[in-house]
Amino acid sequence: MPQTFDPAALAPSVEAILRDAGRIALDYFRPGRTAAAEVTQKACGSPVSEADLRIDAFLRDSLPALAPGCGWLSEETVDNPERLDRDPVFIVDPIDGTRGFVSGDPCFAICIALVSQGRPVLGLVHAPALDQFFLAVRGGGATCNGAKISVSTRETVSGAQLAAPEGLIADLTRSGLSFTARPRLPSLAMRLLRVADGDLDGALARHNACDWDIAAADLILHEAGGVLTDFEGRTPIYNRADTKHPALAAGPPDLQRELIAAARRGKRPV
């Protein structure tokens, strides 16, 4: 990556922009109540709020100037295939967990990753309603609100605290292992970060998570000592033509491997 795109040098400026984006989100957020934002449905059926679009526009106006010539990929911006020829690329989710945000759930997040050669080198996730700010630079560890974080020391699924969609929890239950299923958070990024900070031992995500859902949290989890792969053990690659990913598993290395094995063992035959 060119010297001008040193991720550690960019981190403070990106953090300042992300905190401003968090303040925009809080202009609309109403704890326990419907957000003060107009909500429409995208073609895929998922909701998009006025806040999503305003934050997307703000980030699109602010971030590229930090790394001239970089690419851009955001959930709320029409995709431009020119990004495939750019390096690095900003990958952004203006609000991860829009449904929760709209209904007054504080567990939503704004995610920014800087990706080079298919992998994140800078990851920031801000959950403004929870007053949490996660940050990682490749090779530099991971922090939440400035304090170092690390994954759980648990090595096996038995007795673990896990979060996953209902169908994947059912697969794990059929595997015969005993664990505690925690409520699935509305933000996938925050589900992964609860593994990164040790609050959860592991987590699963169903197929079709997109680059913007996971890129920033992937790096933070990795720098906290965790692993995120698909069920074949493949590390996610970002900024491809297809932004979707297969089902994913997150956790400390040994537990993560057992988690995949358990999910496979308990899966119903098609």
Side-chain angles (χ1 to χ4, degrees):
M1 188 165 56
Q3 186 66 32
T4 52
F5 297 129
D6 173 37
L10 287 177
S13 296
V14 177
E15 177 175 348
I17 289 169
L18 183 48
R19 289 189 182 277
D20 285 343
R23 284 186 277 272
I24 294 173
L26 292 179
D27 285 344
Y28 296 90
F29 180 66
R30 300 293 182 268
R33 298 185 289 131
T34 301
E38 181 180 353
V39 180
T40 57
Q41 299 294 315
K42 294 188 279 191
C44 63
S46 62
V48 59
S49 76
E50 179 184 356
D52 290 83
L53 299 177
R54 184 178 163 196
I55 292 169
D56 182 63
F58 170 72
L59 295 177
R60 194 169 66 246
D61 288 344
S62 304
L63 289 172
L66 300 179
C70 68
W72 179 263
L73 175 63
S74 168
E75 181 177 11
E76 308 305 346
T77 302
V78 175
D79 192 11
N80 186 337
E82 288 184 2
R83 66 178 169 80
L84 299 173
D85 298 319
R86 302 289 183 92
D87 194 85
V89 175
F90 278 112
I91 298 182
V92 168
D93 194 339
I95 295 181
D96 184 50
T98 296
R99 284 187 176 89
F101 168 80
V102 168
S103 66
D105 189 321
C107 191
F108 65 90
I110 306 167
C111 308
I112 298 174
L114 187 66
V115 167
S116 180
Q117 299 179 17
R119 289 293 297 162
V121 294
L122 177 64
L124 305 94
V125 177
H126 185 26
L130 298 175
D131 193 26
Q132 289 187 312
F133 196 102
F134 296 84
L135 169 66
V137 177
R138 186 171 63 183
T143 62
C144 177
N145 293 349
K148 186 175 181 180
I149 58 172
S150 60
V151 295
S152 163
T153 58
R154 182 175 293 276
E155 298 179 352
T156 64
V157 171
S158 182
Q161 300 276 327
L162 306 175
E166 188 173 306
L168 290 171
I169 287 292
D171 290 345
L172 292 174
T173 300
R174 284 190 293 268
S175 77
L177 294 175
S178 176
F179 61 91
T180 299
R182 295 265 293 274
R184 183 170 68 95
L185 302 175
S187 162
L188 175 53
M190 291 301 293
R191 192 187 321 163
L192 298 179
L193 293 179
R194 290 293 175 250
V195 179
D197 69 10
D199 180 59
L200 288 172
D201 296 305
L204 297 174
R206 63 166 64 95
H207 70 283
N208 284 342
C210 291
D211 282 9
W212 46 79
D213 298 312
I214 62 173
D218 180 354
L219 179 64
I220 297 165
L221 175 67
H222 177 81
E223 291 295 328
V227 179
L228 178 70
T229 72
D230 66 18
F231 285 13
E232 302 297 327
R234 296 172 299 203
T235 300
I237 301 299
Y238 302 101
N239 194 38
R240 303 169 304 160
D242 183 1
T243 62
K244 293 183 178 179
H245 297 265
L248 300 165
D254 290 341
L255 183 147
Q256 193 257 8
R257 286 190 290 270
E258 186 180 337
L259 189 57
I260 291 172
R264 284 176 155 176
R265 189 166 63 248
K267 188 172 180 61
R268 288 188 184 278
V270 177

